[in-house]
Amino acid sequence: IAEVNFSPCSKYLLTRYNLTKNEPAENENYKVSVWECRTGKELPLEITHNRNVKSASFSPCGKYIITTSGLGANIWEFGSGTKKMVLQHRALVNYAEYSSDGNYIVTASSDKSSVIWNARTGEKINTLVHENAVLSAKFSPNSNYIATVTANHKVTIWKVADGKAISAHKIHNKNIGGLAFSSDSRLLATSSGDSTIVVWDIENGKTQFKPVKLENKGGEIDFINKDSMVAVAVWDGNINVYNAQSGDKQPVSMRHARRANNLKVSHNGEFIATGSLDRTAHIWKMKDAKQIKTELEKDKYELDLKEKENYNITDNVTATFIKSEWAFLQALNLLSQKDSVKAKEILATQLRNGNKGEVSKHATDLLMKIMYETESQPINIGIKDVLMAKVSSCNNYIIVSSKDNNIYV
């Protein structure tokens, strides 16, 4: 498992699988998979490529998945698996991700450039020119900066506003395997094939502590526990945790059977997902690193036929209680493409007839998706009590269910 990434709601885990040298080049091995974190089941989502996938992650609103393969960065709709857009380079695209505000996409390419794109239109905004192939490019959480990594082991910090470089650093002497910003966008952590990790201030370039020596090569890295610590995937199979200020190793035990490639902290800060050469992805509880899913195996999920019978959506807008959250998402997505008015009526039926806890939460999340694509008008859903007020992941919308039996976006 070459990469793991949580969805913004932390309910789903996206994994990217790469072929080894001895495996046959079959298309099913070039896909990304999405799993339910709670159950460990793979969703029936088809996102396939004809070459190895270099990176894969969710958009901040959770509506899209962005992948890189060959010369392009591909944007897919999460609910349907439909490809919506392709961003092209002149050479291999090694990495792509959305900014946290959802306005931009950055790509990193072997054509020695990193490009900032308009996330909605796909138009180029700025091209960041480098001396070597660009292996990775990541936005800071405040969307003001981009950090790029090149094949000559250099890290460069760029301003998103004007596309100008503000600093360049060559701290490591081998390939940089991991790069992560702190949540306040002030610190940057890097791990390397030279078996060291470094945490440094992006404004003055000063390191927080002397480079920490690892037992083996370093893979992906991320800040945890409100930026007080960093976790790093190590090639010996261990996931090590260090104090972000002193560099002291913490007594936390997380381990894979073979080389650990990747890790990611969930958006709610409660879990760590790790991926390994042993073909498994693990999910760990943050407090004590307790493993809650032993493994998420590739191609093991089959949609339960009984779940299919639990819902019935037809042209005359009839619906029964839907137990499967994924089935609910698919049904609403398909219906919204045909008739948003009927989709809203279906949603209102679910909220009136369903459980006011779990079902209502899923329904309001999906209502925001439909309202985003149509118009913002009150919808009568027949609920007497206030259920919730929620801010969207991209911070552009608020959804409120109120005492007057309306939902507003």
Side-chain angles (χ1 to χ4, degrees):
I1 304 297
E3 187 173 15
V4 290
N5 269 303
F6 284 97
S7 64
C9 64
S10 302
K11 292 180 181 178
Y12 304 108
L13 185 70
L14 185 153
T15 60
R16 172 172 64 87
Y17 176 82
N18 272 354
L19 287 170
T20 61
K21 293 181 180 179
N22 298 325
E23 288 183 288
E26 298 176 355
N27 279 352
E28 65 241 26
N29 289 325
Y30 293 136
K31 74 171 187 175
V32 298
S33 301
V34 181
W35 313 78
E36 289 182 344
C37 293
R38 183 175 57 85
T39 64
K41 291 183 178 180
E42 184 180 359
L43 304 184
L45 186 67
E46 291 295 326
I47 297 182
T48 58
H49 307 73
N50 56 16
R51 301 184 66 172
N52 258 341
V53 182
K54 293 282 191 175
S55 70
S57 59
F58 283 94
S59 65
C61 64
K63 184 179 177 181
Y64 302 106
I65 291 173
I66 184 167
T67 64
T68 58
S69 180
L71 306 182
N74 311 286
I75 291 89
W76 311 79
E77 190 172 68
F78 176 36
S80 64
T82 304
K83 187 184 290 187
K84 308 296 289 186
M85 190 189 307
V86 179
L87 309 175
Q88 292 279 4
H89 274 264
R90 292 178 287 106
L92 288 177
V93 182
N94 298 309
Y95 188 83
E97 74 171 25
Y98 280 83
S99 60
S100 60
D101 59 13
N103 293 327
Y104 307 106
I105 292 171
V106 64
T107 51
S109 172
S110 294
D111 64 11
K112 301 181 181 181
S113 76
S114 181
V115 177
I116 304 173
W117 310 78
N118 183 305
R120 292 184 180 277
T121 65
E123 295 178 0
K124 285 186 180 181
I125 297 175
N126 265 314
T127 299
L128 316 178
V129 180
H130 298 70
E131 298 175 352
N132 294 83
V134 188
L135 306 180
S136 181
K138 295 192 177 183
F139 282 102
S140 61
N142 62 12
S143 301
N144 292 336
Y145 303 101
I146 291 173
T148 59
V149 173
T150 51
N152 64 342
H153 328 312
K154 183 184 289 186
V155 177
T156 305
I157 310 298
W158 310 77
K159 277 190 175 181
V160 174
D162 56 16
K164 293 182 178 180
I166 60 174
S167 64
H169 310 271
K170 196 169 183 179
I171 300 174
H172 300 283
N173 55 33
K174 288 189 178 180
N175 286 345
I176 296 174
L179 177 77
F181 279 97
S182 60
S183 61
D184 61 4
S185 304
R186 186 178 64 86
L187 301 176
L188 193 69
T190 54
S191 63
S192 169
D194 62 12
S195 301
T196 64
I197 64 168
V198 176
V199 178
W200 44 285
D201 193 305
I202 67 169
E203 292 186 359
N204 57 33
K206 293 182 179 180
T207 59
Q208 297 292 97
F209 47 80
K210 291 182 179 180
V212 172
K213 189 69 175 177
L214 303 172
E215 292 82 1
N216 209 311
K217 295 180 180 180
E220 193 57 74
I221 194 168
D222 207 352
F223 283 88
I224 64 173
N225 198 24
K226 299 181 180 179
D227 298 339
S228 65
M229 300 178 188
V230 290
V232 59
V234 187
W235 280 28
D236 62 6
N238 285 310
I239 309 298
N240 293 346
V241 177
Y242 299 88
N243 186 292
Q245 300 299 321
S246 65
D248 294 334
K249 189 175 180 180
Q250 305 300 300
V252 177
S253 178
M254 293 179 281
R255 181 170 175 78
H256 279 270
R258 298 181 66 185
R259 186 176 87 191
N261 298 310
N262 200 272
L263 65 83
K264 191 65 65 175
V265 178
S266 63
H267 294 269
N268 61 14
E270 295 181 5
F271 304 102
I272 298 177
T274 59
S276 168
L277 201 63
D278 63 13
R279 297 192 183 191
T280 67
H282 293 183
I283 301 175
W284 314 79
K285 294 181 74 171
M286 185 68 76
K287 287 185 178 180
D288 54 3
K290 181 181 179 182
Q291 192 174 339
I292 61 171
K293 297 295 171 196
T294 54
E295 56 185 286
L296 302 174
E297 293 188 36
K298 187 172 174 290
D299 296 330
K300 288 293 184 182
Y301 177 72
E302 294 181 2
L303 185 64
D304 191 341
L305 292 178
K306 292 182 180 179
E307 287 188 346
K308 287 185 178 181
E309 297 170 359
N310 283 332
Y311 67 90
N312 176 29
I313 296 181
T314 61
D315 290 337
N316 63 357
V317 197
T318 61
T320 59
F321 178 71
I322 299 175
K323 290 185 178 180
S324 167
E325 179 182 351
W326 176 246
F328 192 69
L329 176 63
Q330 285 186 312
L332 264 295
N333 179 66
L334 291 173
L335 192 59
S336 65
Q337 293 177 10
K338 298 177 181 179
D339 192 330
S340 62
V341 174
K342 289 184 178 180
K344 293 172 188 175
E345 292 177 14
I346 288 286
L347 193 55
T349 302
Q350 293 301 314
L351 287 172
R352 281 196 297 267
N353 299 339
N355 180 291
K356 287 189 178 181
E358 196 73 11
V359 175
S360 295
K361 185 179 187 303
H362 302 336
T364 50
D365 287 346
L366 294 170
L367 176 61
M368 185 177 69
K369 167 183 166 61
I370 296 173
M371 295 289 282
Y372 175 82
E373 296 174 343
T374 55
E375 69 280 2
S376 295
Q377 294 180 356
I379 303 171
N380 192 302
I381 56 174
I383 297 178
K384 297 179 180 180
D385 301 319
V386 174
L387 292 179
M388 67 183 71
K390 186 174 181 180
V391 180
S392 66
S393 300
C394 59
N395 293 322
N396 291 333
Y397 301 93
I398 296 175
I399 184 166
V400 179
S401 53
S402 66
K403 288 185 178 181
D404 62 2
N405 294 339
N406 290 320
I407 284 185
Y408 300 92
V409 177

